[in-house]
Amino acid sequence: MRRIIFTILILFPLLLSAQILKGKAVKIADGDTFTLLVNGHDQVKIRIDGIDAPEKGQAFGNRAKEHLSGMIWGQELTVTVTKKDKWKRSIGKVSTPEIPDVGFEMIKAGFAWQYRDYNNEKAYEDAESLARQNRKGLWLDNNPKRPQDFRKEKRNQNKSQ
């Protein structure tokens, strides 16, 4: 009972501050970012909460983008937005009528990491471990590079040029 009350107290403020967006994906940028068309005319850039998918130019970047596209393109999407990032993208959990958590499915398929800097959900951790064990998606690579490390290396290269 204490655990239920504790969970409600923690989640209640988040639910109050969450914004619900409904629409369709009109552009897939990569494996964790897309543009949502809301009300038939408003475009909102969405970053899927809790995951970090390979970047363009990174191993498995195109495959991650294709996998995300296959799950969400043409679907009615619900995005529960909890915040915006420094690039003004809306960060949120994404679902379709058939898929309750698109981010979880990206990790489970091996096309994203759990973004531990921003997410500590046990289900995400377990899904990543299982994808690793089964060598799914990016885990076919013997030494995959986290997207945050890839981005950091790219920034350092650009500074030194």
Side-chain angles (χ1 to χ4, degrees):
M1 185 58 142
R2 284 186 188 166
R3 191 173 195 174
I4 292 170
I5 292 170
F6 178 75
T7 303
I8 290 170
L9 290 174
I10 294 296
L11 293 178
F12 189 69
L14 288 175
L15 294 174
L16 288 177
S17 66
Q19 175 187 17
I20 307 295
L21 299 176
K22 292 187 180 279
K24 290 191 177 191
V26 292
K27 181 180 179 195
I28 310 295
D30 58 28
D32 56 31
T33 306
F34 65 95
T35 302
L36 184 73
L37 184 64
V38 181
N39 300 324
H41 54 80
D42 297 326
Q43 293 189 15
V44 181
K45 197 151 198 180
I46 305 292
R47 173 74 158 75
I48 300 173
D49 191 23
I51 72 170
D52 201 11
E55 299 290 328
K56 292 178 189 173
Q58 184 178 1
F60 291 92
N62 286 338
R63 300 269 317 274
K65 178 180 176 179
E66 290 167 5
H67 191 75
L68 177 62
S69 181
M71 283 194 293
I72 68 173
W73 192 260
Q75 299 291 316
E76 285 296 325
L77 303 176
T78 300
V79 181
T80 305
V81 177
T82 55
K83 60 187 168 196
K84 291 203 180 233
D85 67 11
K86 62 183 176 182
W87 295 280
K88 301 206 178 2
R89 298 177 298 186
S90 295
I91 309 295
K93 294 281 188 176
V94 179
S95 63
T96 74
E98 295 81 28
I99 303 169
D101 186 344
V102 169
F104 173 81
E105 293 299 326
M106 287 294 291
I107 294 170
K108 184 176 159 187
F111 290 112
W113 277 261
Q114 175 185 22
Y115 206 167
R116 287 183 178 83
D117 292 354
Y118 303 100
N119 178 289
N120 61 0
E121 291 179 53
K122 180 80 167 111
Y124 280 32
E125 183 180 329
D126 292 345
E128 183 180 310
S129 292
L130 194 57
R132 278 180 195 245
Q133 287 173 354
N134 294 325
R135 297 184 56 83
K136 286 181 147 183
L138 64 90
W139 303 111
L140 286 168
D141 192 334
N142 288 329
N143 192 20
K145 186 177 292 188
R146 287 187 170 278
Q148 63 194 58
D149 296 335
F150 180 82
R151 291 187 295 267
K152 185 176 181 180
E153 284 177 12
K154 203 168 182 179
R155 277 192 306 271
N156 289 340
Q157 272 180 350
N158 290 340
K159 285 180 185 177
S160 66
Q161 291 177 351

